[in-house]
Amino acid sequence: MTRTIAMVLAVILGGNGLFMLGAPLAWYDAVPGVPSTGAFNPHFVRDIGAAYLVTALGLAWFAWRPVQGWPALVAGALFLALHAGVHLFDATCSASPLANLIRDFPGVFLPTLLAAWIAVVRRPKEI
């Protein structure tokens, strides 16, 4: 089950990363709430897209070879957690924190929670 969830996350996050790398302006316009974070910066969108792609590769590696890929899963989960922390901070500083948290839950917080959960429950015995 965890390997399947990791692969589904890899496909979704990898697709998002490729979208960010290949069409940053279209991504910026398509994702709810992004334009309210500041002016469009294609370099910044592509940087984050690269991080999403690396995270997706770590999840896919874990799904393929769980013991060998576990460290890559942890690194990806750490990026997702730090990214979620930025969103949490920004939401608490906004005029409508709950609305921002609800908006960001499916795309930011849920993948983070799932990746972190997988990393904890599938931690190899020899570590």
Side-chain angles (χ1 to χ4, degrees):
M1 171 76 107
T2 55
R3 292 172 74 182
T4 301
I5 294 169
M7 187 50 74
V8 169
L9 279 173
V11 169
I12 293 168
L13 297 178
N16 182 58
L18 290 172
F19 187 18
M20 294 173 85
L21 286 167
L25 182 57
W27 178 88
Y28 177 87
D29 290 334
V31 179
V34 171
S36 67
T37 64
F40 171 66
N41 180 333
H43 180 96
F44 184 69
V45 172
R46 286 188 178 113
D47 279 348
I48 302 301
Y52 266 104
L53 194 55
V54 170
T55 297
L57 292 171
L59 285 158
W61 186 4
F62 169 82
W64 177 53
R65 306 278 300 219
V67 174
Q68 294 83 359
W70 185 80
L73 163 70
V74 171
L78 182 58
F79 160 72
L80 292 173
L82 292 169
H83 179 239
V86 170
H87 279 255
L88 181 62
F89 177 80
D90 287 350
T92 61
C93 296
S94 73
S96 18
L98 185 57
N100 288 347
L101 292 172
I102 291 168
R103 180 200 64 217
D104 291 348
F105 183 79
V108 176
F109 298 109
L110 183 58
T112 303
L113 294 170
L114 289 172
W117 171 74
I118 294 168
V120 169
V121 301
R122 292 298 303 269
R123 181 175 179 239
K125 303 283 188 250
E126 62 269 3
I127 290 180

